[in-house]
Amino acid sequence: MRTIFLSLAIVAALFAGCQKSGSGSFSTDGPVTDSASYALGFNVGQNFRNGMLENGLLGLIDREAFVRAFVAALDSQACQLTEPQLQSQMMALQLRQQTARNKAFEGVRAEGEAFLAENAKKEGVQTTATGLQYKVVKAGNGPKPTIKDKVKVHYHGTLIDGTVFDSSIDRGEPVEFQVTGVIPGWTEALQLMPVGSKWTLWIPAQLAYGENSPGDEIPPYSTLVFDVELLGIPK
């Protein structure tokens, strides 16, 4: 959120630079008198819009009020809000952002929960106390990793609709990482798997990335599916 507010400040500064002294207004129409400035402004504006869309803020602010306040600060004018009111309103905007975000991705969360409820009924699927689901595809007979270990694995990760977002199997190269260096669902599952095992994991959002998104491939509140082969415990 702090990054977005800084971006807002940059854009407002550009708007402020377009104002005529004392006019109190600006326009996006008319001839371009400085092409370089226009190019910079347009480029920043595009990036700003993308950031606002990504963070669910585009429809939550009053542009005119924002620009007026920013220009007032640049001109060393007195703020119309007290410091406690400023902090309160910033917190209120963050709450509105989170509420809007939750609403936007409620369908993803609900779909994941419904999927897991049905999946839990399938033969061979086991569910832990945390909500992690797994199925033993191949039973290994090696040692189980501990919380302090590094592991070597092959994996194939998808959304519940089958969309692939990451796969060491497709790359043809296994990976090594600390048991604690991954999402909670992985950390839990790895400590249950003997070396040589192949499992399918169904990881609910709260054990994956929750309300966050690590990239465009994984929406917030996504339930994730992994085929995992535990190859070894490197020393």
Side-chain angles (χ1 to χ4, degrees), residues 149-167:
D149 283 328
K150 176 184 287 186
V151 293
K152 183 177 183 179
V153 304
H154 249 324
Y155 67 90
H156 184 76
T158 72
L159 304 179
I160 58 176
D161 65 1
T163 300
V164 179
F165 57 80
D166 193 12
S167 176

Side-chain angles (χ1 to χ4, degrees), residues 88-136:
S88 175
Q89 290 303 315
M90 292 288 280
M91 292 178 62
L93 182 55
Q94 290 181 350
L95 180 59
R96 288 168 59 196
Q97 178 201 23
Q98 188 59 51
T99 300
R101 184 180 179 86
N102 289 345
K103 184 177 181 180
F105 292 101
E106 183 59 38
V108 177
R109 187 212 305 261
E111 186 178 10
E113 291 174 351
F115 174 89
L116 290 171
E118 288 300 314
N119 194 61
K121 302 174 185 177
K122 295 181 179 179
E123 183 179 357
V125 175
Q126 301 186 56
T127 304
T128 70
T130 64
L132 171 70
Q133 295 182 358
Y134 68 90
K135 180 178 181 179
V136 178

Side-chain angles (χ1 to χ4, degrees), residues 127-214:
T127 304
T128 70
T130 64
L132 171 70
Q133 295 182 358
Y134 68 90
K135 180 178 181 179
V136 178
V137 179
K138 174 188 173 183
N141 54 13
K144 295 179 180 179
T146 70
I147 199 74
K148 297 180 180 180
D149 283 328
K150 176 184 287 186
V151 293
K152 183 177 183 179
V153 304
H154 249 324
Y155 67 90
H156 184 76
T158 72
L159 304 179
I160 58 176
D161 65 1
T163 300
V164 179
F165 57 80
D166 193 12
S167 176
S168 70
I169 294 174
D170 289 350
R171 291 192 297 271
E173 184 177 355
V175 296
E176 296 183 6
F177 47 76
Q178 292 295 135
V179 170
T180 55
V182 285
I183 57 177
W186 267 77
T187 297
E188 179 182 354
L190 287 169
Q191 295 176 81
L192 301 174
M193 296 179 67
V195 170
S197 299
K198 290 183 180 180
W199 287 16
T200 297
L201 309 178
W202 294 273
I203 303 180
Q206 70 270 16
L207 298 179
Y209 297 101
E211 66 185 34
N212 301 310
S213 173

